[in-house]
Amino acid sequence: ALVVFPALTAMRVSGSFRRVISVAAVVSCACFVIGFFAGCLLGLPTGPCVVIANLLVYLLCFVVRKAKS
């Protein structure tokens, strides 16, 4: 999930392969930071929080793209 969700999110947003790699790296780092701090602040395991953050970002991109088309 830590590898798949950022790539899927980047493919939803970007068109070129180079941009997909860049967006996936940014999404991955951002979701890690969000999930890590959410897990620490809420007293939850950080791994699942990171995966949930990735899932939420993917779903947000999915819904936004569906709404545009």
Side-chain angles (χ1 to χ4, degrees):
L2 293 174
V3 174
V4 174
F5 280 127
L8 289 175
T9 303
M11 284 189 237
R12 282 265 186 231
V13 175
S14 309
S16 70
F17 181 69
R18 180 173 285 176
R19 189 156 180 213
V20 167
I21 292 174
S22 300
V23 171
V26 170
V27 167
S28 181
C29 290
C31 287
F32 172 77
V33 170
I34 291 167
F36 180 78
F37 283 115
C40 289
L41 292 174
L42 299 173
L44 299 171
T46 56
C49 289
V50 172
V51 172
I52 290 170
N54 274 305
L55 177 64
L56 291 175
V57 170
Y58 171 74
L59 291 175
L60 178 69
C61 289
F62 182 80
V63 168
V64 168
R65 185 152 184 195
K66 282 286 188 185
K68 284 186 176 181
S69 58

